[in-house]
Amino acid sequence: MQQQKQVHYSDYLQLDKILNAQTLESDLLQQHAHDEMLFIVIHQAYELWFKQLLFEIDSVAVIMQKPAVNDNSPELQTVVHRLNRVVTILKVLVHQIDIMETMTPMDFLDFRDMLRPASGFQSWQFKLVEAKLGLKYQQRHGQEYYISQLRQQQIDLIRQAEKERSFIELLNAWLERMPFFEEEENWKNYKSVAGLPPTPSNGGGATSSEIFWVDYRYIYASGLAEAEQNNIQFFDGMFADESASPERQLSPKACRAALFIMLYRGYPILQLPFQLLNGLLEIDEQLSTWRYRHMSMVQRMIGTRIGTGGSTGRDYLKGALDKHYIFAEISRLTSFLIERRKLPVLSHEMENRLGFVG
């Protein structure tokens, strides 16, 4: 048996490399700018966290790629746990801006022009995070130059990620596999709240799960205020329109499954799926918060001047903030929720399937 070697803290963390990786441009030019050290350390920390985000996203993608993921399994628990870690890391990225903002605009001007054309816009790892989560090229703000300042090797990595199945595509496939709607046994004793025709087993023409959605649409429509009547068209577009749209990343079938999870999340088997969906909304929220804080910081630091990499500075960041929502379709589902007291009552068989009764 081979004896395990002794590991030293400094060697394990390769601190000699890390702690000697801060070279100040202002010192090289013999114009020392004190806050450049902070600027470098903050951005190095960002890139390390981006690396960890990619590590977590890749690991959950491996699980979600499996032909079947049990909705009440350790695997799904792992996915939820690691997505929650992604959320926590993103919160740290937001809070790092608090440290950055201890640097005043005049402090930044001491070394800003020495950085050209280097820019945070050249962070290929962050673009890779966005691509792996599901931000498509056609959804990007500033398409004409979003990879223009990257090195070819970095461009190749991003292009490859865009060709692979993103997390939101894996999510769509997972939601479409939700078994409860296809299992007619779960619906045989479902009672329509709108007095709809009987199910095929009783000589009717629609499945009971289809009748459930007709019921739900009826209840939803009856609760809309006069100014909200157009929402029923949005409802049909979200849950019934099967025509392909380049803007959509979740199919109507996946959207119906996601809404069902939100509505009946109190049932044991739907708790983990709900936490997964909620985690994705948190990721979008934290990414949005990070972009907003970044935009506000840039406005504070350089006003209306262009970025060191040649971007439009605040205007670019504002465009990305408004457009770069990856899980927007999940967020829109909240427009179609109804009160718990109005929810269609599930059959005993469905409740048993969802783990609520024995």
Side-chain angles (χ1 to χ4, degrees):
M1 181 175 172
Q2 187 176 4
Q3 185 175 3
Q4 183 176 337
K5 70 173 183 178
Q6 291 186 337
V7 179
H8 191 276
Y9 178 83
S10 295
D11 298 336
Y12 179 66
L13 296 180
Q14 301 187 56
L15 291 183
D16 285 344
K17 292 182 182 178
I18 294 174
L19 298 180
N20 288 289
Q22 296 78 36
T23 302
L24 277 62
E25 287 293 315
S26 59
D27 282 354
L28 295 177
L29 296 173
Q30 298 182 343
Q31 300 176 39
H32 177 73
H34 178 83
D35 280 25
E36 189 181 358
M37 174 65 80
L38 173 68
F39 191 82
I40 292 173
V41 169
I42 286 284
H43 285 84
Q44 287 179 336
Y46 271 132
E47 292 300 327
L48 285 172
W49 284 126
F50 293 158
K51 182 174 183 178
Q52 186 66 37
L53 289 175
L54 290 167
F55 186 70
E56 302 297 346
I57 293 167
D58 285 341
S59 72
V60 296
V62 169
I63 297 174
M64 296 293 286
Q65 283 171 359
K66 295 183 178 181
V69 180
N70 189 318
D71 292 336
N72 196 26
S73 68
E75 284 185 324
L76 195 61
Q77 289 175 336
T78 298
V79 170
V80 170
H81 173 69
R82 291 178 182 171
L83 288 177
N84 287 339
R85 178 179 291 164
V86 167
V87 171
T88 303
I89 292 171
L90 290 173
K91 289 179 180 179
V92 171
L93 301 187
V94 172
H95 287 305
Q96 283 188 181
I97 294 177
D98 293 336
I99 305 172
M100 181 79 84
E101 287 183 335
T102 64
M103 179 174 63
T104 70
M106 290 295 287
D107 295 331
F108 187 37
L109 281 175
D110 285 342
F111 63 92
R112 180 177 184 259
D113 285 346
M114 303 175 189
L115 306 182
R116 296 182 188 277
S119 166
F121 195 66
Q122 295 167 330
S123 176
W124 61 272
Q125 283 200 117
F126 184 69
K127 289 178 170 60
L128 199 56
V129 166
E130 292 177 316
K132 285 179 177 284
L133 286 175
L135 183 63
K136 293 182 178 180
Y137 172 77
Q138 58 266 32
Q139 297 169 321
R140 285 187 177 274
H141 176 71
Q143 296 172 359
E144 66 277 11
Y145 59 86
Y146 98 97
I147 57 171
S148 63
Q149 299 182 35
L150 302 182
R151 292 168 176 160
Q152 189 59 50
Q153 183 181 10
Q154 299 163 352
I155 294 172
D156 292 342
L157 286 171
I158 294 169
R159 291 301 193 202
Q160 181 59 38
E162 289 174 339
K163 292 177 184 177
E164 296 169 355
R165 296 178 76 190
S166 65
F167 186 83
I168 197 168
E169 290 171 325
L170 296 172
L171 176 75
N172 183 74
W174 172 70
L175 287 168
E176 285 187 338
R177 293 196 300 267
M178 186 172 174
F180 311 121
F181 301 130
E182 278 71 34
E183 297 170 350
E184 186 62 24
E185 179 70 18
N186 300 331
W187 300 97
K188 67 179 184 179
N189 290 314
Y190 172 73
K191 293 180 173 57
S192 171
V193 298
L196 295 168
T199 64
S201 60
N202 293 325
T207 65
S208 295
S209 60
E210 289 170 345
I211 289 176
F212 169 85
W213 287 112
V214 174
D215 268 355
Y216 189 85
R217 183 185 185 278
Y218 170 80
I219 298 169
Y220 175 74
S222 65
L224 292 175
E226 185 175 348
E228 297 175 323
Q229 290 305 308
N230 284 340
N231 276 28
I232 200 63
Q233 297 176 15
F234 301 141
F235 183 98
D236 292 338
M238 180 72 76
F239 302 109
D241 186 1
E242 298 290 346
S243 60
S245 168
E247 299 299 319
R248 294 198 67 164
Q249 301 212 70
L250 296 180
S251 68
K253 184 177 182 180
C255 288
R256 291 194 296 270
L259 183 63
F260 188 83
I261 290 168
M262 291 180 173
L263 294 170
Y264 296 99
R265 62 182 183 270
Y267 289 92
I269 204 170
L270 297 182
Q271 289 176 7
L272 278 175
F274 173 72
Q275 290 176 40
L276 191 158
L277 295 178
N278 199 52
L280 298 179
L281 293 179
E282 282 269 7
I283 288 173
D284 248 356
E285 181 176 341
Q286 291 305 318
L287 285 171
S288 176
T289 303
W290 184 77
R291 291 188 180 99
Y292 175 77
R293 289 292 307 277
H294 189 191
M295 178 189 72
S296 299
M297 180 185 67
V298 167
Q299 173 74 17
R300 175 175 176 264
M301 288 289 184
I302 67 172
T304 58
R305 297 181 67 179
I306 64 171
T308 52
S311 75
T312 53
R314 181 192 179 280
D315 289 344
Y316 170 79
L317 294 169
K318 178 66 165 62
L321 171 64
D322 292 339
K323 195 171 183 180
H324 291 183
Y325 284 91
I326 300 170
F327 304 106
E329 286 169 281
I330 298 174
S331 179
R332 290 189 198 111
L333 294 177
T334 58
S335 300
F336 308 109
L337 298 175
I338 62 175
E339 301 96 316
R340 284 190 180 92
R341 60 186 172 82
K342 293 183 179 179
L343 284 175
V345 178
L346 301 177
S347 68
H348 178 85
E349 290 80 8
M350 177 63 89
E351 287 195 324
N352 185 56
R353 179 71 169 84
L354 298 178
F356 192 72
V357 295

